[in-house]
Amino acid sequence: MNLKVFIVENELSDSQNLVSVLEQAGHFVLGSTTIQSHVTRYLNDLKPDIVLLNVADGFENAATAFATDLEERQIPFILTGSSYTPEIRRIIKKVNPDGFLIKPLSGVDVVAALETAAYRSNTLRAIHQRQEKWVETLLLNILESPGKKADKLLSLVRAFASFVPFDCMVIDTDSQQRDLSALYAYHRNGFNEYDPLNGEDCLRDCKVTVDEYYSVRRFYSLIKDIEFLNGDEFIRVTSQSVYGDKIRKAYQFNSRIWVPVFNNGKIDMCLVFYSKDLNGYNESHEAFMRNFQNILTKVFLNIRGKQIKSGKPLSINPKFIDAPTSPVNSKFEGIVGKSSKLVSSLDQAIHVAPFESSVLVLGETGVGKEALVRAIHNLSERRNGPFIRLNCAAIAPTLIESELFGHEKGSFTGAIEQRMGKFELANNGTLFLDEIGELSMESQAKLLRVLQEREIDRICVKESIKVDVRIIAATNKNLLVEVSNGKFRMDLYYRINVFPITLPPLRERKEDIPELAEHFLKRYNPYHNTKAKISKSALQQLQLYDWAGNIRELEHLIERHVLTSKTGSIDHFEMPEELQLSGKPVIAGEEFKPIAQVDREHILAALARCKGRVSGKNGAAVLLQLPPTTLNSKMKKLGIKWPSAAS
């Protein structure tokens, strides 16, 4: 792979060394300059395949600005720096580079990083091209189907749902019409669930008059291009019209992207995506929607009842046409919930499931990473192939190579027979490497080679074995921090981090707890031959807790109480000790108190407020949401003898 490389480096000697290394490796160096030299002007003329950008001390802001420009132009780039400082971590998080190297630079590392960055960039570009082709096909299906208007509208909503995030999509199929029959809205209530509203419903919910809506139509007709607004800017602009201000307040929207649709050179129709996220939209969403403005005109006219031919397809590179031709059968077995953060993660899974790229699933222990990985496999073209899981944390470092690549009989002590490794077992399927952050540096190097060469070396076998495996990795660690601590290879990180998906912790999606609780009741009641139910007050108790162990902790707690419930109703959960803490934030440098001391102080404060009463309507047990027997037991254990404690 011969790449055209542009170098931005403030140190002349480092720049000269890079030129020498790259040219010896067969790459073409377009030129080099310093960060102070208005580097953006070179991009249009030189058209580099990749940029090496040094973040020089004192020039962090300039480097960040240039990196942002590269990201918007979709030019891959690798950052270099003298050390991995908090400032560098902040920049990496903001600009999302295709690699990072610490000086002094090794020629081998530079060449490897370039190849990894090129692979990552090409893979992402291929995914985006296929996604565009996918959405185009879904829109063409609307033109060619004889369905009813309601079906076509819902198909339009679903075509964009997983690619442009929204809490509500507003569709105006005829902006010139003087009634509300052309206005529709779809509120997203779950992954594939929508609440449709007609024009009259929309205005009634927002308490907007027809005249107020027509006035905003005229305002929007002046916006000739796609426009996205976030946060304060969204509030400022929407506050300029009565309709915009009312719809924002009624549904608590914080961002939107406006997509005008033209007919005979005039804005005749529009799509508006609204989100409750403060930063719901960016340049990538704008660029994505720009691809479909022409075909949307035909789709809208078709929805209005006109017979429209599909016409020319998008100009997509022929090698990227192997995209799905229909919506993915989006069934996520074992994943429960409708919160926006969870839905966003599921949308990302839909993005990447049909394609072959590596996926990195991030999230705390117990959030359901394996369930998501299995869903990606089941939604992929490899669904009929094997799904093999390896928990990297559960295998001794001395055995991990054998587990991954296999061994011959007698290759080491205890190898009493030939054994296929996980890669061979997963051939033509998916290999899930759980807790990949636990791999030793030596094992990481061998894994990287397999990912690059697509072949393995079984222990004590001279010939390499070709494998066709899709890798999905997961970790509860911050791999960039592991990289900075010398515990994870930077090149492997960028190789597997082509398409990251983060699953939110349960404390950030507490609105899903009632549905999760019901799900676990349905699982464990038949299993244990019980009919337990959770009372309203007990459910509220679950929603007050922060769930350090996430869904797994919730599941175990519910199963335990299903087993011990004697009345058939779970009215109170015996929560872990953490729930009894005061919740007061710990200030940096402040000394931690023992849990027993915190519990003692908390109970004494409750008793003081309740004038020593333990049980009854106005007792401390009610205040602390504890059964009186449990509170008395705790008081005895902690040696609390309130002078006038009463029942």
Side-chain angles (χ1 to χ4, degrees):
M1 182 187 302
N2 297 321
L3 300 170
K4 295 184 292 183
V5 185
F6 183 59
I7 300 170
V8 181
E9 172 59 66
N10 279 21
E11 295 292 334
L12 179 60
S13 59
D14 288 343
S15 179
Q16 291 172 338
N17 289 337
L18 283 171
V19 171
S20 176
V21 165
L22 295 173
E23 289 181 343
Q24 287 180 23
H27 301 298
F28 181 68
V29 179
L30 296 170
S32 62
T33 187
T34 63
I35 192 65
Q36 303 100 307
S37 304
H38 305 290
V39 288
T40 301
R41 63 183 178 178
Y42 295 103
L43 297 179
N44 292 331
D45 296 333
L46 296 176
K47 295 181 172 57
D49 294 323
I50 194 164
V51 174
L52 281 171
L53 171 59
N54 176 238
V55 184
D57 292 340
F59 294 94
E60 290 86 357
N61 290 340
T64 301
F66 183 52
T68 302
D69 192 23
L70 291 171
E71 187 178 22
E72 290 175 1
R73 294 169 184 256
Q74 297 183 338
I75 298 173
F77 62 97
I78 296 171
L79 296 181
T80 66
S82 56
S83 61
Y84 192 65
T85 63
E87 178 64 12
I88 289 289
R89 286 201 293 272
R90 184 192 66 79
I91 293 172
I92 288 175
K93 186 175 181 180
K94 181 175 182 179
V95 302
N96 191 31
D98 296 279
F100 176 72
L101 294 170
I102 298 175
K103 293 183 176 183
L105 302 177
S106 155
V108 174
D109 289 344
V110 170
V111 173
L114 277 177
E115 292 175 353
T116 298
Y119 161 81
R120 186 172 185 267
S121 175
N122 290 337
T123 302
L124 282 173
R125 189 177 293 116
I127 290 174
H128 292 154
Q129 288 268 14
R130 291 182 176 113
Q131 288 174 347
E132 289 170 11
K133 182 65 180 177
W134 186 2
V135 173
E136 182 208 25
T137 303
L138 297 178
L139 295 177
L140 291 176
N141 289 346
I142 297 174
L143 291 178
E144 295 168 1
S145 73
K148 299 178 181 178
K149 178 186 284 189
D151 296 331
K152 289 176 180 283
L153 285 166
L154 188 56
S155 295
L156 175 62
V157 172
R158 286 175 171 161
F160 289 110
S162 289
F163 301 98
V164 182
F166 65 86
D167 289 293
C168 177
M169 181 193 292
V170 175
I171 305 170
D172 193 339
T173 61
D174 191 346
S175 302
Q176 307 304 316
Q177 199 161 296
R178 286 294 298 177
D179 62 50
L180 299 175
S181 63
L183 179 65
Y184 307 89
Y186 288 80
H187 289 271
R188 195 172 188 186
N189 296 325
F191 175 71
N192 204 20
E193 299 177 24
Y194 307 93
D195 182 16
L197 298 176
N198 60 31
E200 292 179 355
D201 293 335
C202 292
L203 300 195
R204 183 178 62 252
D205 281 1
C206 301
K207 299 179 181 178
V208 173
T209 67
V210 174
D211 288 338
E212 288 170 341
Y213 176 67
Y214 289 149
S215 70
V216 84
R217 262 185 172 178
R218 290 191 294 272
F219 172 76
Y220 275 134
S221 67
L222 301 175
I223 307 174
K224 302 295 184 183
D225 201 0
I226 297 175
E227 176 188 75
F228 68 88
L229 297 171
N230 292 320
D232 291 341
E233 183 65 9
F234 169 72
I235 294 173
R236 185 187 67 79
V237 171
T238 52
S239 297
Q240 294 175 10
S241 71
V242 175
Y243 169 77
D245 194 48
K246 286 183 177 179
I247 192 172
R248 173 178 61 80
K249 291 177 178 176
Y251 298 118
Q252 298 179 319
F253 295 143
N254 287 304
S255 55
R256 68 124 168 96
I257 183 167
W258 148 263
V259 183
V261 181
F262 294 85
N263 184 24
N264 296 323
K266 295 181 180 179
I267 298 176
D268 193 27
M269 304 154 270
C270 72
L271 277 180
V272 190
F273 300 85
Y274 289 98
S275 173
K276 295 178 182 178
D277 193 335
L278 283 169
N279 294 289
Y281 303 105
N282 55 42
E283 290 82 1
S284 65
H285 298 120
E286 178 183 325
F288 186 79
M289 290 306 303
R290 201 175 299 284
N291 290 307
F292 306 107
Q293 278 183 288
N294 290 336
I295 194 172
L296 278 173
T297 299
K298 297 178 180 181
V299 170
F300 276 38
L301 291 173
N302 180 268
I303 289 173
R304 276 156 57 168
K306 297 186 178 182
Q307 294 298 317
I308 304 295
K309 293 182 179 180
S310 58
K312 289 184 178 181
L314 282 174
S315 178
I316 300 293
N317 190 320
K319 72 177 181 178
F320 294 144
I321 63 173
D322 57 331
T325 57
S326 61
V328 168
N329 182 20
S330 47
K331 196 171 183 182
F332 289 93
E333 296 287 348
I335 299 178
V336 177
K338 299 177 181 180
S339 61
S340 59
K341 286 193 175 184
L342 177 64
V343 167
S344 177
S345 298
L346 301 184
D347 283 339
Q348 290 178 293
I350 289 293
H351 288 186
V352 76
F355 310 121
E356 288 295 296
S357 70
S358 301
V359 181
L360 178 61
V361 180
L362 305 166
E364 297 175 7
T365 298
V367 295
K369 296 189 288 293
E370 183 174 351
L372 185 69
V373 173
R374 286 186 180 275
I376 293 172
H377 169 76
N378 292 333
L379 295 170
S380 75
E381 295 299 318
R382 295 176 178 262
R383 67 178 71 90
N384 295 321
F387 176 86
I388 303 296
R389 175 182 180 268
L390 176 66
N391 186 342
C392 301
I395 307 297
T398 54
L399 297 176
I400 193 71
E401 187 176 347
S402 171
E403 286 288 331
L404 285 172
F405 311 128
H407 61 257
E408 290 296 300
K409 180 179 179 180
S411 56
F412 56 86
T413 303
I416 59 175
E417 61 183 1
Q418 183 194 66
R419 182 178 179 183
M420 294 174 65
K422 301 299 186 186
F423 268 95
E424 284 185 86
L425 293 172
N427 197 38
N428 297 317
T430 301
L431 176 57
F432 172 35
L433 297 177
D434 197 9
E435 302 304 345
I436 193 172
E438 301 297 333
L439 284 178
S440 68
M441 295 294 280
E442 182 181 0
S443 298
Q444 291 174 36
K446 293 177 179 178
L447 174 60
L448 178 63
R449 178 189 170 278
V450 175
L451 296 181
Q452 292 170 335
E453 306 296 334
R454 290 189 168 271
E455 60 183 29
I456 63 168
D457 293 325
R458 194 188 292 169
I459 298 175
C460 287
V461 175
K462 292 182 179 179
E463 293 184 2
S464 296
I465 302 170
K466 290 287 184 183
V467 289
D468 177 16
V469 174
R470 182 186 194 178
I471 297 293
I472 304 181
T475 182
N476 59 11
K477 291 187 174 183
N478 185 329
L479 290 185
L480 272 178
V481 172
E482 295 296 292
V483 168
S484 68
N485 293 333
K487 295 180 180 179
F488 203 83
R489 292 179 64 101
M490 180 72 75
D491 45 7
L492 179 59
Y493 169 75
Y494 281 106
R495 187 80 186 192
I496 63 174
N497 193 38
V498 174
F499 202 100
I501 301 175
T502 300
L503 276 173
L506 186 55
R507 63 181 172 276
E508 293 181 7
R509 43 176 289 225
K510 287 187 175 182
E511 61 267 43
D512 289 333
I513 287 177
E515 189 176 356
L516 282 163
E518 185 63 27
H519 172 76
F520 293 132
L521 281 179
K522 289 179 179 178
R523 172 183 294 180
Y524 291 114
N525 269 330
Y527 185 78
H528 296 297
N529 195 27
T530 55
K531 296 181 179 180
K533 295 181 179 180
I534 300 175
S535 70
K536 186 176 180 181
S537 61
L539 193 60
Q540 291 174 340
Q541 188 186 2
L542 295 180
Q543 291 180 293
L544 288 172
Y545 185 55
D546 274 342
W547 302 105
N550 293 292
I551 297 170
R552 189 178 300 148
E553 184 183 8
L554 173 65
E555 178 181 2
H556 293 167
L557 183 77
I558 289 176
E559 183 182 14
R560 185 165 69 250
H561 283 76
V562 165
L563 276 168
T564 58
S565 174
K566 296 178 181 179
T567 63
S569 176
I570 302 173
D571 298 317
H572 178 82
F573 284 98
E574 289 291 337
M575 303 297 289
E577 289 295 325
E578 285 78 7
L579 186 63
Q580 312 306 328
L581 301 179
S582 67
K584 177 185 174 183
V586 178
I587 302 169
E590 186 177 63
E591 185 178 345
F592 279 98
K593 295 179 180 179
I595 287 177
Q597 182 181 344
V598 175
D599 278 358
R600 179 183 172 83
E601 291 175 359
H602 199 50
I603 291 171
L604 286 169
L607 287 168
R609 182 180 297 184
C610 298
K611 299 179 181 179
R613 180 172 292 278
V614 174
S615 60
K617 183 178 179 180
N618 299 314
V622 174
L623 187 63
L624 294 169
Q625 298 185 18
L626 290 172
T629 53
T630 300
L631 180 54
N632 277 317
S633 176
K634 280 184 172 291
M635 290 172 63
K636 185 176 180 181
K637 181 180 177 181
L638 296 170
I640 297 175
K641 296 180 180 179
W642 189 261
S644 58
S647 296

